[in-house]
Structures are given as C-alpha cells and as structure tokens.
Amino acid sequence: MRVGVLTGGGDCPGLNAVIRAVVRKGIEVHGWDIVGFRSGWRGPMTGESRPLGLADVEEILTRGGTILGSSRTNPYKEEGGVEKIRATLAEQRIDALIAIGGEDTLGVAKRLTDDGIGVVGVPKTIDNDLAATDYTFGFDTAVHIATEAIDRLRTTAESHYRAIVVEVMGRHAGWIALHSGLAGGANVILVPERPFSVDQVVEWVERRFERMYAPIIVVAEGALPEGGAELLTSGEKDAFGHVRLGGIGTWLADEIAVRTGKESRAVVLGHVQRGGTPTAYDRVLATRFGLHAVDAVIDGDFGVMVALRGTDIVRVKLAEATAELKTVPQERYEEAEVFFG
C-alpha cells in the first residue's frame, strides 16, 4: 500500500510523534510506502509531498511542530478542491489518507469520506475540545507551559503587589484556563462557557489584596463579560470561518486597575502554548494514536477517528467526532470556584 499522511490546522506538540508512529509501523510491520503531504489539505490539492522513510522520523519524537507543515486550507472552499485531491491521490497512487487535526481538519476528512475517499482521522488540538475523545495530545503540553508561566508571574506579582491577568488560548472551550488555573493556584478563572461579571471579578481581586497577596486571574481568549461581545484581534476570517480572538486579558487588566486603583498587568501567552517539546504524556498518547490509525487503515475502516476512552484507544465515526465541541461543564467550573478570591 501507499498511504498518505498530513497535519492540518494549528500546530501543537505531538504531531511529529504521530507521524513517526505511522511511518515506523507502516514500513516495518506492513511494508507500506508512506507519503507525507505538506501544509495540511493544501498538499493533496497541489500535489506537494515528500516520501517518508525511517531515517526521516529517526529524531522527531521530541520535536514540537510538524515536519510536514500545516495550514488552515479548506478544499471545500477552493474551486475544484476535491477534484484536485482525487487527481493527486490517483497520480501518486495513494490508497488511503491519515489526517491529523482538530475539528476543522477532521470535518474535511468526514466530508471526503462521504465523497468516497478513504480517510482515517487522528485528533489533535491543544484546546481538548473534541467530544469523542477523553484527551487530545498537545493539551497536556499547553497546560504545562501555561502553568509554568503562572508560577513565574506569581513571584513578580507578589514583589510589586499588583494584579496579573494571564490570557491563555481557548476560543470556545476553557479547558486550558481551567487546568492551568487550578494547577497554578489562580484566584480567578474565566472561561468561554460562562459569561463573567466584572463586578464579581473586582470583588475577588480586592479580597485578595485585602489579604496582602497579589491576585492572579487566568482568562481564556474567548471568555465574555456579561452582556459583552468577543474581542477580536482582527475581523478577518480564515477558510473555516474563524475570526482571530485576542484582547480580553488587556481589557480586563485595565478594568481592574481603574476600579481598584491598584497596578494591573496583562500577559498574553498566545502561541507560546503551541510550541516546544511535548510532554511525556503527549508523546505517548500521540504515538498510540498513530499506531492505531495504521490498524484502522489495514482494516479498511475509513471514516473513523482514533480516540482515547479511559486508557483504551478506540475508533469512533468522524461524524460523531465532529458533531459537537467538548466544553467545560458547570460542575467542573464550580470545583474551581472554591479557590476564587
């Protein structure tokens, strides 16, 4: 067999571990030829690819990012995009595709399967917001990075007796904010799932100042004040209709400063959360996903995504995997509220 592999959407630590697992098992166990398509779905559309051999993946397990590159290309938004993919797969004699990505990338994989192209999906997102899997690789690394940043910011906040607002990623799901905030001992955690009262946030902040401590507020980029709207970095939309969020941290820090009279600073972690060496957990999970994706191809079980359920890797239909986002439930947020103020 000749099997193609691609990485789409935002990059995250662990992508290379999946590629390595696919190549190692595909070649050494099944004798496949592996073709890596560059830049997400753009690769199969343009035919830009490279052969992947054992030497190509020898030292990539610990590397962040992706050796294949990525993009937010949507072939269903490009004129003749699907036909171009069919032509590329026929020309390069590709029998199946393994697509590694999040909601958008796997949404394309589902539609391509419906259109008769054999695709197996591997879930990837630092936001951990795919409902069909307990965890996605990249999330653990992002939480570790955010937690370390909170730890470091706490010492400088205490030195100057000022409030620090830490803005983390999370467009529609606040998992990174929740986990890093709990792990870092944040005094307020704000998530997209629950609009927040600025008055309540200020009350928590002032309570912290009264105890002679500097408050740490962790806010997801998609969090909303009550009656407010998302803050946008720009109004431009990508191929999947997403706008670029950003600015809630700075806005909130300014509000806190005005209402409390205390110094307040905002720190936006941004793409720092996506980069660097994956944690051991993410390396193992990504590797297992890659191995089981190969098994799905061998079985001819297309239109599925490999997923983590408990400690087992299972297969779920791509339709199920992309049907809805996994958001922070009310009871999980209430656990964190014990530590606010």
Side-chain angles (χ1 to χ4, degrees), residues 174-185:
W175 291 107
I176 294 177
L178 180 70
H179 280 241
S180 65
L182 276 171

Side-chain angles (χ1 to χ4, degrees), residues 159-184:
S159 295
H160 294 274
Y161 196 54
R162 61 167 62 118
I164 297 286
V165 180
V166 185
E167 182 182 313
V168 300
M169 284 185 166
R171 175 184 296 274
H172 301 300
W175 291 107
I176 294 177
L178 180 70
H179 280 241
S180 65
L182 276 171

Side-chain angles (χ1 to χ4, degrees), residues 44-46 74-88 112:
M45 284 176 53
T46 62
N74 182 351
Y76 286 93
K77 294 291 186 179
E78 303 284 341
E79 185 175 353
V82 177
E83 289 71 22
K84 291 175 182 177
I85 289 177
R86 289 187 194 279
T88 295
L112 288 174

